[in-house]
Amino acid sequence: MKFVKVLPAFLMFVAALPLLAATHTVTLDVPGMTCPVCPITVRKALRAVPGVTHVDVQYAKKEAIVTYDDTKTSISALTKAAADAGYPSKPGGTAK
Ligand SMILES: [Cu+2]
């Protein structure tokens, strides 16, 4: 039976996927966003970080949800970029 031969290889492939995936998402609490223009600055600063693939800033929640490649950048680089733009932040929120 072909299926029996293929199955173990398939299961190994599925098991390896999380190891291959270098993309992570972090939610940063950005308490300093006090007006609707702030998210634009925060988004711009975070998007400028090499390795960042997506930024979603939620002004109402004072959060920045950042998707990044962890082989190219890190959470500390993200918080530094936000702080350099005038918005100190820290990992928090609900997304992991
Ligand atoms: Cu503002």
Side-chain angles (χ1 to χ4, degrees):
M1 255 174 91
K2 230 177 189 175
F3 179 72
V4 174
K5 278 184 188 167
V6 172
L7 187 63
F10 177 73
L11 289 177
M12 279 176 70
F13 174 72
V14 169
L17 281 179
L19 301 174
L20 297 172
T23 300
H24 291 261
T25 300
V26 65
T27 300
L28 301 175
D29 289 332
V30 193
M33 290 197 288
T34 52
C35 81
V37 181
C38 291
I40 297 168
T41 310
V42 173
R43 181 196 303 263
K44 205 176 162 191
L46 290 169
R47 289 200 71 145
V49 178
V52 170
T53 53
H54 188 80
V55 179
D56 183 18
V57 179
Q58 306 265 344
Y59 170 59
K61 292 181 173 178
K62 298 194 192 310
E63 283 178 356
I65 300 154
V66 185
T67 304
Y68 63 99
D69 181 336
D70 75 348
T71 63
K72 291 179 186 158
T73 190
S74 63
I75 290 172
S76 60
L78 299 175
T79 56
K80 185 185 184 302
D84 287 351
Y87 297 92
S89 63
K90 60 179 173 52
T94 49
K96 283 280 175 284

